[in-house]
């Protein structure tokens, strides 16, 4: 087995296909009900990052030179420059042969050279990765419940009715791909309210709560092949943004919608805006993304302001996700 750095931007089409095959082999083995990865815009997905961020990749090759495992480490800039997020994927037939450990060693050593204090990884609770990271001394920083909504099971009459139930003085606006410039500042300011939610009390805040970062974030999503869908609640009169919900559909997994942030400004809660925005989002997706099979979202074990809304819309909890963290210096010593 050989482990080496990998540059997706310059990789061959065959190498990118092997990268995707590893992802799909792991999906088939560990979560067979999950959607498979498509090859559309895989290069963009792996190589494009936000300004001041870098994604560093490694591959493990067998004796024939074929990719049997890979890893990537996202290094943040600015105030988050001491932390990073990584992923490791190993073809099931090569588990137990040191591939995963070797890739993690490469990631940990690179994190150390980059001056990172800590690195984290997301793990599905029902997969063998849990035992792997437990044995290596990672700690669980966050536990979340993943919820799925199958669009074939949606009561569209009820959802359409919920999307139209707005208190007087409010309206909803829907955007796909991005936001008009006149809403950027107000939208970003509304996202600041997420900091007070229980689901965001653990870990490091990395939200796009300023207009420049928000603009960069939306542009980066589109450049990576992820289509953003946004529903915004407007308080008429002052034309203030008082609520928002975000969802992304990736070209690489086009049958799955990925729910991002949902927030309502505190002084505008109890008016049903959360339900109306999420219901409106589903109605728009029905037209804009007809290939969608389901939508996923997450809630914190410590409480989530939108949990009751998700339940009423038909989301059902299916599995827990763990966010593991490790001190980089300790991890490097542990791995040798």
């Amino acid at each position: 087995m050989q482990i080496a750095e990998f540059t997706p931007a310059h990789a061959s089409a065959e190498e990118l296909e092997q990268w995707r095959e590893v992802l799909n082999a792991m999906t088939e083995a560990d979560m067979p009900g999950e959607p498979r990865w498509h090859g559309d815009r895989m290069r963009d997905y792996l190589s494009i990052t936000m300004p001041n961020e870098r994604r560093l990749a490694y591959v493990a090759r067998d004796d024939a030179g074929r990719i049997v495992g890979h890893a990537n480490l996202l290094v943040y800039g600015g105030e988050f420059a001491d932390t990073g997020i990584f992923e490791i994927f190993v073809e099931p037939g090569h588990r137990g042969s040191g591939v995963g450990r070797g890739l993690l060693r490469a990631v940990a050593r690179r994190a150390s050279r980059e001056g990172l204090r800590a690195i984290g990884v997301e793990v599905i609770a029902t997969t063998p990765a849990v035992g792997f990271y437990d044995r290596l001394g990672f700690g669980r920083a966050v536990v979340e419940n993943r919820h799925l909504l199958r669009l074939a099971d949606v009561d569209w009459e009820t959802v359409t009715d919920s999307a139209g139930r707005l208190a007087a003085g409010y309206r909803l606006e829907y955007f796909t791909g991005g936001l008009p410039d006149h809403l950027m500042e107000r939208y970003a300011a509304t996202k600041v309210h997420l900091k007070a939610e229980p689901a965001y009390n653990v870990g490091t805040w990395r939200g796009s709560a300023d207009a420049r970062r928000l603009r960069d974030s939306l542009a980066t999503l589109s450049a990576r092949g992820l289509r953003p869908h946004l529903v915004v609640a407007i308080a008429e009169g002052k034309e203030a943004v008082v609520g928002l919900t975000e969802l992304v559909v990736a070209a690489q997994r086009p049958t799955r919608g990925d729910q991002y942030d949902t927030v309502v400004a505190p002084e505008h809660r109890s008016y049903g805006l959360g339900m109306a925005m999420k219901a409106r989002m589903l109605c728009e997706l029905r037209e804009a993304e007809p290939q969608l099979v389901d939508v996923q979202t997450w809630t914190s074990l410590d409480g989530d302001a939108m949990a009751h809304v998700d339940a009423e819309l038909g989301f059902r909890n299916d599995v827990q996700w763990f966010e593991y963290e490790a001190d980089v210096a300790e991890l490097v010593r542990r791995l040798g």
Side-chain angles (χ1 to χ4, degrees):
M1 178 191 68
Q2 197 173 44
I3 293 177
E5 288 191 47
F6 184 73
T7 307
H10 302 136
S12 68
E14 182 181 4
E15 288 174 318
L16 293 175
E17 178 60 17
Q18 290 175 15
W19 184 290
R20 185 177 72 92
E21 287 174 356
V22 170
L23 288 175
N24 283 336
M26 281 195 64
T27 301
E28 176 64 31
D30 298 340
M31 295 286 286
E34 293 291 284
R36 302 302 184 263
W37 290 79
H38 293 208
D40 297 349
R41 303 193 63 182
M42 184 61 74
R43 189 185 308 277
D44 294 338
Y45 182 80
L46 295 174
S47 60
I48 295 174
T49 64
M50 289 272 288
N52 299 319
E53 294 181 0
R54 290 174 296 138
R55 183 173 285 105
L56 310 167
Y58 293 86
V59 294
R61 299 180 187 270
D62 62 15
D63 293 339
R66 186 172 185 81
I67 295 173
V68 296
H70 49 73
N72 65 86
L73 171 67
L74 182 62
V75 178
Y76 297 102
E79 60 184 307
F80 310 119
D82 66 341
T83 61
I85 300 295
F86 73 95
E87 298 174 306
I88 293 177
F89 302 94
V90 178
E91 194 175 75
H94 287 80
R95 288 174 178 168
S97 62
V99 175
R101 190 182 183 93
L103 287 167
L104 180 58
R105 183 184 295 112
V107 166
R109 288 176 175 174
R110 183 57 180 268
S112 179
R113 293 198 301 273
E114 294 289 333
L116 303 187
R117 174 189 56 81
I119 54 175
V121 61
E122 287 190 347
V123 177
I124 301 172
T126 56
T127 64
V130 170
F132 177 75
Y133 291 110
D134 281 343
R135 288 192 297 273
L136 288 169
F138 279 74
R140 295 180 195 175
V142 180
V143 179
E144 294 181 302
N145 288 319
R146 199 273 294 272
H147 304 266
L148 279 179
L149 173 65
R150 286 183 51 82
L151 298 187
D153 299 334
V154 170
D155 181 345
W156 288 108
E157 183 176 351
T158 299
V159 168
T160 301
D161 180 65
S162 297
R165 289 194 174 189
L166 277 174
Y170 297 100
R171 74 174 187 275
L172 301 182
E173 295 187 6
Y174 163 74
F175 305 95
T176 182
L179 280 171
D181 283 343
H182 72 276
L183 286 180
M184 285 286 183
E185 292 281 357
R186 286 173 279 170
Y187 187 101
T190 300
K191 294 196 74 171
V192 173
H193 295 296
L194 280 171
K195 291 185 180 182
E197 298 297 334
Y200 290 84
N201 284 342
V202 180
T204 304
W205 167 259
R206 297 190 182 92
S208 49
D210 68 79
R212 184 179 66 179
R213 183 171 174 82
L214 173 63
R215 188 177 285 106
D216 289 343
S217 177
L218 291 171
T220 301
L221 286 172
S222 296
R224 296 182 70 206
L226 286 72
R227 296 185 293 276
H229 298 267
L230 313 166
V231 173
V232 181
I234 306 288
E236 297 176 330
K238 293 184 178 181
E239 291 297 294
V241 174
V242 297
L244 58 93
T245 189
E246 308 165 330
L247 185 140
V248 169
V249 179
Q252 300 81 11
R253 293 209 298 176
T255 62
R256 165 70 51 83
D258 195 356
Q259 179 76 61
Y260 280 18
D261 294 335
T262 299
V263 62
V264 178
E267 63 271 26
H268 296 274
R269 293 172 185 172
S270 78
Y271 292 101
L273 293 179
M275 172 62 78
M277 290 190 301
K278 284 204 163 188
R280 172 70 178 274
M281 176 68 80
L282 292 175
C283 293
E284 297 291 351
L285 290 174
R286 192 182 187 189
E287 298 296 325
E289 304 280 1
Q291 81 288 344
L292 278 184
V293 172
D294 53 30
V295 173
Q296 67 180 1
T297 189
W298 288 265
T299 59
S300 167
L301 297 184
D302 297 326
D304 190 295
M306 292 295 125
H308 71 286
V309 171
D310 292 336
E312 287 190 29
L313 289 170
F315 282 86
R316 296 291 178 264
N317 176 232
D318 73 329
V319 69
Q320 286 188 332
W321 286 53
F322 302 149
E323 291 186 20
Y324 279 101
E325 287 186 357
D327 178 86
V328 169
E330 288 292 332
L331 184 61
V332 169
R333 282 194 291 271
R334 196 174 298 124
L335 291 168

